[in-house]
Amino acid sequence: MNILLLGRGKTGSLVAEVARQRGHHVEVVGAAENVACAALTAGKLSGADVVIDFTAPHCVVGHIEACVQAGKSMAVGTTGWYAEVDRIRGLVTSHGTGFIYAANFSIGVNLFLEVAKAAAAALRHKYSGQIFERHHVHKKDAPSGTALAIQRVIREASGRKSEDLEIISFREGEVVGMHEVVFDSIADSIYLCHDAKSRQGFADGAVRAAEWIVGKKGFYDFKDVWREL
């Protein structure tokens, strides 16, 4: 495939490396050359089979709008824009493109979400719950998109409100990403933890998601389709 990758950060750079290893041609566009979507011209987009976005919350919605309106399928790993999900879903549907997004493209994290979903029953049996997340000091959003996804999954599975499951965020050094769920009762405690050793899992999942979305129409959350990869 011809992939247009938006973002030259640590994860974006690894996505480019993984995509090339898998035989794809990758063109990378960084923030400096894409202010106000300046690089997302018709000419730039015309040759792309899919656009992958790993940029920042303040600019990702503009990128999505430009690419979808140009008829391009997207895989979006940037978080912090989910208040716009319903509007973006409508935009994707009206333009007949393919769109897949994730708070985290790691297969391991998505397995962790399934485990957390099953464990959510604890909240109906006199357990309290907390989510702890740790990331590097450069991460802009807190809590992380992954922590919010864990909170949402547990809330939906348990029928409890999000206020009943506090998220505590830490920003330390170069921590790639650690998420822990703790359920506590007077009888015992349950600990669930996912600790990313590197960004490799994020990059692998993002490229696989991009491969999957090409040729499809519709709006997809990666957590619902990762088993098909």
Side-chain angles (χ1 to χ4, degrees):
M1 300 187 302
N2 289 321
I3 297 173
L4 179 62
L5 174 64
L6 308 181
R8 294 184 185 274
K10 291 181 179 179
T11 303
S13 297
L14 188 55
V15 168
E17 181 181 330
V18 169
R20 289 174 178 132
Q21 289 172 351
R22 292 177 65 83
H24 304 303
H25 176 268
V26 183
E27 182 175 1
V28 183
V29 173
E33 58 204 286
N34 197 31
V35 176
C37 303
L40 300 181
T41 62
K44 179 76 73 176
L45 290 169
S46 64
D49 297 305
V50 64
V51 180
I52 300 177
D53 191 295
F54 275 91
T55 56
H58 74 274
C59 60
V60 64
V61 171
H63 298 168
I64 294 170
E65 291 171 340
C67 294
V68 170
Q69 289 168 0
K72 294 300 171 181
S73 294
M74 293 192 77
V76 176
T78 309
T79 59
W81 60 274
Y82 298 150
E84 300 265 19
V85 162
D86 289 340
R87 185 177 70 82
I88 296 301
R89 181 186 289 110
L91 187 69
V92 169
T93 301
S94 66
H95 285 81
T97 59
F99 187 96
I100 185 165
Y101 74 101
N104 196 309
F105 278 115
S106 163
I107 298 297
V109 165
N110 283 274
L111 281 167
F112 183 77
L113 288 172
E114 293 295 318
V115 174
K117 181 178 179 180
L123 294 180
R124 299 196 296 270
H125 294 276
K126 298 184 179 179
Y127 284 80
S128 61
Q130 285 183 304
I131 298 170
F132 299 89
E133 59 103 351
R134 300 175 187 270
H135 284 86
H136 52 85
V137 294
H138 315 291
K139 187 167 179 60
K140 304 239 181 339
D141 54 332
S144 68
T146 301
L148 291 170
I150 294 167
Q151 184 189 59
R152 184 169 58 252
V153 163
I154 294 175
R155 182 190 64 204
E156 292 172 353
S158 66
R160 300 288 292 273
K161 296 180 180 178
S162 59
E163 307 90 76
D164 297 327
L165 196 65
E166 180 185 16
I167 299 175
I168 300 172
S169 301
F170 300 91
R171 297 292 176 262
E172 303 172 343
E174 296 298 326
V175 177
V176 175
M178 176 185 286
H179 296 86
E180 185 176 21
V181 180
V182 179
F183 296 109
D184 191 57
S185 77
I186 60 172
D188 54 22
S189 298
I190 302 168
Y191 296 90
L192 309 174
C193 183
H194 179 274
D195 185 10
K197 297 178 179 179
S198 73
R199 293 175 174 80
Q200 186 70 39
F202 312 151
D204 287 342
V207 175
R208 289 175 181 272
E211 293 169 345
W212 184 87
I213 197 63
V214 170
K216 293 182 174 65
K217 295 182 179 181
F219 188 88
Y220 301 92
D221 188 327
F222 185 71
K223 70 180 177 60
D224 299 323
V225 305
W226 62 269
R227 292 178 183 81
E228 299 179 28
L229 302 184

